[in-house]
């Protein structure tokens, strides 16, 4: 079953400093984005990675990140204003795959075994989301700032990526979201709202999304603990 | 309005290594628990802190942690098997307060301004929980491991501590929980199930609960950033 991966990396978030979008910042000497693409390409069933970057960055990312890192089976296209727009741009150029995998640019520590498990679940169910059990106690607020409900924690999962879907389902989901003016915090929500089943696949807390300096330090520590070098 | 703080610190979790329960581990040279108690005693309205430790540790904690750190208005009592049992033990010896504040031993970075805001909310509403907006996309699972629902993230909060309640409400909540065999992941749940209102008070992500080595490193960095010394 052919799989194409889409990596939305068009965010301009520079919270980590240096005025550089976080996906380009170095992690043990290589851009975070390069580690992420490399982790996906380590999964044999992923035939191609489509990287969606800010318009104007395509050439530079191809020349300065992908080529020097030997990541030749990745393609670079320009994204849109929001993450959802960028995934849609990726879908526009992805052709031929039966499954589409979407993975955050800032999650470079994803392991191949988790991706394989999610691919198997998606092949069976049509949709799969990597997630970890919620450790916080979550409160749902009412309109007045009081607690309306504390949902039982045992039923709650924090979604990560990859999120993997039948290509026809995710295309329909993004088309319908655009037509309906719906935005969501992950791709699965757009698929769920059409009533298609999405399986939860247990991942790892090590698959962290790098958003702060502390995350970057933790990611370096995890990579060193794994004995990984480029 | 008199306030007594209860700090359940009877957990034996030694995940951070060294075979030492995490609340006793050093943070910039002082036990995590000492920082936590000190942060609470920095709030003028908190008249007393009751620290609930593993049975048998009372004398040692008083002598080796509280006394050397100059934390004389803290009292030490023995706790129970579970966190909920320890809070109940704390309630048993707390007398005279109109509000009871419960705070995790492993959250030493709580700021006085947040505690004051939560005290004000609890004085008005009867119950208050410090919480931060959820940043993950949360999925509720059905019985078959698929996504049943993605609750809108804008309504979700991750509960922290302090959690503050009218003394009569939290006493009733713990007594009823014990009678009904109910256990919960936080004190607020026990109060909520009686139908009493609990207000959500915005806190800070800096008020982290130290459970991993990475958390401990992050906590040291935050304390250094604040320029705090003992």
């Amino acid at each position: 079953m052919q799989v194409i991966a889409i990596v939305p990396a068009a965010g301009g978030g520079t919270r980590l400093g240096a005025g550089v979008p976080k996906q380009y910042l170095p992690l043990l000497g290589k851009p975070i984005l390069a580690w992420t693409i490399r982790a996906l390409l380590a999964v044999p069933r992923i035939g191609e990675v489509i990287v969606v970057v800010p318009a104007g960055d395509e050439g530079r990312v191809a020349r300065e990140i992908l080529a020097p890192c030997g990541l030749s089976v990745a393609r670079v296209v320009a994204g849109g204003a929001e993450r959802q727009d960028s995934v849609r741009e990726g879908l526009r150029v992805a052709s031929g795959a039966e499954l589409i995998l979407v993975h955050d640019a800032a999650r470079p520590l994803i392991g191949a075994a988790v991706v394989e498990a999610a691919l198997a679940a998606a092949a069976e169910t049509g949709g799969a989301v990597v997630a970890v059990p919620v450790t916080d106690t979550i409160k749902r607020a009412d309109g007045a700032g009081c607690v309306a409900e504390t949902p039982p924690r045992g039923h709650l999962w924090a979604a990560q990526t990859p999120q993997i879907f039948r290509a026809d389902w995710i295309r329909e989901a993004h088309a319908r979201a655009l037509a309906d003016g719906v935005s969501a915090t992950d791709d699965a929500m757009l698929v769920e709202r059409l009533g298609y089943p999405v399986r939860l696949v247990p991942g790892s807390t090590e698959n962290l999304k790098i958003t702060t300096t502390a995350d970057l330090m933790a990611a370096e520590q995890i990579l060193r603990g794994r004995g990984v070098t480029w």
Side-chain angles (χ1 to χ4, degrees), chain A:
Chain A
M1 196 172 268
Q2 210 210 323
V3 183
I4 292 180
I6 296 173
V7 176
T14 57
R15 181 145 60 110
L16 277 169
V20 176
K22 65 182 176 186
Q23 61 272 24
Y24 303 150
L25 286 178
L27 172 66
L28 296 187
K30 298 279 180 185
I32 291 171
L33 179 59
W35 285 102
T36 301
I37 297 168
R38 185 195 196 213
L40 294 173
L41 290 173
V43 178
R45 278 208 281 166
I46 297 180
E48 186 183 14
V49 177
I50 296 171
V51 187
V52 190
V53 300
D57 278 9
E58 303 97 302
R60 196 168 65 80
V61 168
R63 276 191 317 274
E64 297 177 15
I65 297 181
L66 303 188
C69 295
L71 302 170
S72 57
V73 278
R75 187 150 44 127
V76 186
V77 299
E82 301 296 331
R83 182 184 187 284
Q84 194 165 318
D85 304 320
S86 293
V87 173
R88 206 172 53 240
E89 287 305 303
L91 287 171
R92 222 166 44 77
V93 301
S95 65
E98 291 156 278
L99 292 177
I100 299 282
L101 178 154
V102 181
H103 187 62
D104 294 330
R107 293 194 192 269
L109 302 179
I110 183 67
V114 170
V115 179
E116 295 281 10
L119 283 170
E124 188 183 305
T125 305
V129 171
V130 172
V132 291
V134 167
T135 53
D136 289 325
T137 298
I138 304 296
K139 306 284 182 188
R140 190 167 58 76
D142 65 16
C146 283
V147 178
E149 183 202 10
T150 302
R153 188 168 64 180
H155 301 168
L156 300 183
W157 294 76
Q160 299 180 341
T161 66
Q163 304 197 340
I164 311 173
F165 309 95
R166 280 175 46 168
D168 55 340
W169 288 8
I170 189 171
R171 284 182 198 288
E172 181 188 354
H174 272 271
R176 296 263 295 261
L178 185 65
D180 298 344
V182 166
S183 69
T185 52
D186 70 354
D187 293 285
M189 281 181 82
L190 303 180
V191 172
E192 293 158 21
R193 70 185 279 272
L194 303 186
Y196 295 132
V198 175
R199 186 160 294 279
L200 292 159
V201 176
S204 161
T205 53
E206 287 198 349
N207 179 29
L208 53 86
K209 189 168 179 177
I210 299 179
T211 52
T212 65
T213 307
D215 296 333
L216 192 56
M217 287 166 54
E220 297 206 332
Q221 199 175 31
I222 290 169
L223 278 178
R224 284 205 190 92
R226 290 181 187 171
V228 175
T229 53
W230 193 279

